[in-house]
Amino acid sequence: MDIDCLPLEKTGFFSKLICDYSIADVNLKQLYNRFPDIEGFKGQIEEKGRHFTQAQRDVLYCSMKNQYQNTDISKDTAANIELLKENNTFTVVTGHQLNLFTGPLYFLYKIISTINLTKQLKTEFPNSNFVPIYWVATEDHDFDEINYFNFKGLKFQWNKEASGAVGHLPTEGLEEVFTLFSKTIGDSKNAKVLKVLFENAYLKHDNLTDATRYLANEIFKDYGLVIVDGDDVDLKRTLIPYIKKDIFEQTAFYNVSKTIEEIEQISSDYPVQVNPREINYFYLKDGIRERIIENKGKYIVNETAISFTKEELINEMNVHPERFSPNVIARPLYQEVILPNLCYIGGGGEIAYWLELKAAFEAMEVPFPILLVRNSALIITEKQADKLEKMNISKTDIFLKQNSLINKKIREISNIDIDFSSQKKLLEEQFKEMYAIAEITDKSFLGAVKAQEVKQKKGLDALEKRLLQAQKRKLKDHVVRMTALQNELFPTQSLQERQSNFSEFYLEYGEDLIPMLFKALNPLDLSFTVITQ
């Protein structure tokens, strides 16, 4: 296995904000607590240790025991759940939606980054324990975002009517997806493993939460992963004081809004990732998940007839805290309230909205975690690597926009010089003489000289483009092979990890896939990983 690393900015797939954060740009320092390096984790352990109480640990431990009571777990996961009781135990968290069959490939990268970081921290800080957490986004309600996965250009989609929290959805109808997928992947040894995994997860569990818990546990059970479902009455009860601050004092709204203004002042190239609402909680009950809106002293559940006075809403929180579901602004706080957490690992979009939240955390008096951009990777098979070598395409070349890649390689392999730079330089020298003549004879002639220079340069540009197009036609076979290979590595001209499902690579590598990724991904190396296997 060969591993190459590229700076994120060199890939062309990451925002300026994330590229700047990955190199610790000083202009962003006000937006985060500590940078993700060993020194930063040392301070984070000390701070979180002071703030996280034994009572919080006891609630978390009991909830985990309850959530796992019907799950067959490994010794490592069971041991990690027990460690949550200890005051020297801390967590590293990543979160992900309940995408069908894990969804895009980066699902694996998120969790592997998380597990690998806990291993590194244990080496650096042997007197503490570190537990990897996968936070399942069971309360999300955008079914269209999670009801499919892609396999070699095909979209396998679960078609059904859905509303409310996706974790509550029954798994009915997934038999059809399973049948189609089974026919597509064939009957190889690795295909049979994938079929059993899908069948056991989705056809033998009643709802999407249980199916996803089974799937993630089955893939990562040997690595001690602990899966946390925030849709839990006991965990939600610890959130009540913070729900009140959000709803009645609009603490998150004011502080996040102020931070967004600060981000816009730092750079106009940093777009706002998410905007806060005056109230950042949904009401979750009986198949609905709708926003809570304040209107003239009444608290209304959007798109329903449900409403509360302030006193009634407080009573509802105290009696049924599980009915209050945090949105994208409030959920990060919820995670940090219930977990002894040091670090959140997420994709570029996630880290971008986390960078809006530090002031809100401070106002709520909750330690703000270290933020780490998850590992990103491109997997190149041996066959694809051979093709790249034969076409003399480098690991950096393949990240070029397709037209730029074609132009670059056509210029390199063409038997004639398609670069007219020397001719343009010669033309400029000739026109210098014309300008000098105009200066000493008739200055009104300067405009005509300039116009002629521009015209002739445009003519050279046009000739260069025509010659390049002619060479593209002549070398059409090479262009076709280049573009086909790049399209394999970057489906729909996007990162492989954002489009392809892990099953494509499991068919290729089988049980070696997960260990290969664990070996290749280094969470504290904030660069892009190219894996050639």
Side-chain angles (χ1 to χ4, degrees), residues 170-338:
T171 51
E172 297 166 357
L174 282 169
E175 298 88 348
E176 297 176 7
V177 178
F178 174 66
T179 299
L180 289 172
F181 184 55
S182 296
K183 291 179 180 178
T184 303
I185 63 176
D187 290 309
S188 68
K189 175 185 174 182
N190 293 338
K192 290 176 180 177
V193 173
L194 289 171
K195 291 177 186 180
V196 170
L197 187 61
F198 190 106
E199 184 176 21
N200 287 344
Y202 295 102
L203 306 190
K204 296 183 180 180
H205 290 88
D206 295 331
N207 60 61
L208 196 54
T209 293
D210 291 344
T212 305
R213 179 184 293 278
Y214 172 86
L215 183 63
N217 180 68
E218 194 65 20
I219 295 173
F220 293 105
K221 64 183 178 182
D222 295 332
Y223 300 93
L225 183 69
V226 176
I227 301 164
V228 175
D229 179 6
D231 189 7
D232 181 296
V233 62
D234 293 321
L235 296 178
K236 288 278 184 74
R237 189 166 284 112
T238 66
L239 190 62
I240 292 174
Y242 305 94
I243 300 175
K244 291 178 180 178
K245 284 186 177 183
D246 185 288
I247 294 178
F248 303 127
E249 300 175 29
Q250 298 185 342
T251 304
F253 175 72
Y254 290 125
N255 285 280
V256 176
S257 297
K258 183 180 177 182
T259 300
I260 288 173
E261 292 178 4
E262 294 172 356
I263 292 173
E264 291 173 333
Q265 290 173 4
I266 295 172
S267 173
S268 59
D269 293 325
Y270 296 163
V272 176
Q273 191 68 23
V274 294
N275 285 293
R277 297 185 181 276
E278 286 82 357
I279 296 175
N280 294 287
Y281 283 85
F282 295 92
Y283 189 71
L284 181 65
K285 182 185 177 184
D286 299 335
I288 65 165
R289 186 180 186 245
E290 293 289 347
R291 291 192 295 119
I292 301 171
I293 303 170
E294 189 273 335
N295 185 19
K296 298 178 181 179
K298 295 280 284 185
Y299 294 88
I300 299 163
V301 179
N302 195 40
E303 302 292 338
T304 75
I306 302 170
S307 67
F308 302 92
T309 64
K310 181 177 180 179
E311 292 73 21
E312 290 170 340
L313 193 65
I314 291 172
N315 183 67
E316 186 77 353
M317 289 178 205
N318 292 329
V319 177
H320 295 291
E322 73 279 6
R323 294 179 182 175
F324 291 80
S325 178
N327 72 0
V328 67
I329 292 291
R331 186 174 61 243
L333 182 83
Y334 180 27
Q335 292 174 191
E336 299 306 310
V337 166
I338 67 171

Side-chain angles (χ1 to χ4, degrees), residues 457-472:
K457 281 185 175 180
K458 285 184 177 179
L460 281 175
D461 286 339
L463 287 172
E464 187 176 357
K465 288 179 181 178
R466 287 190 64 179
L467 185 57
L468 183 61
Q469 290 300 321
Q471 284 300 94
K472 284 182 183 179

Side-chain angles (χ1 to χ4, degrees), residues 317-381:
M317 289 178 205
N318 292 329
V319 177
H320 295 291
E322 73 279 6
R323 294 179 182 175
F324 291 80
S325 178
N327 72 0
V328 67
I329 292 291
R331 186 174 61 243
L333 182 83
Y334 180 27
Q335 292 174 191
E336 299 306 310
V337 166
I338 67 171
L339 295 170
N341 195 46
L342 303 176
C343 175
Y344 183 77
I345 296 180
E350 291 175 284
I351 299 304
Y353 73 70
W354 272 86
L355 288 169
E356 300 175 8
L357 304 179
K358 180 170 174 276
F361 271 71
E362 291 172 345
M364 298 278 197
E365 299 181 336
V366 175
F368 193 59
I370 289 174
L371 304 177
L372 180 59
V373 183
R374 65 165 173 81
N375 285 126
S376 284
L378 172 67
I379 301 174
I380 302 176
T381 66

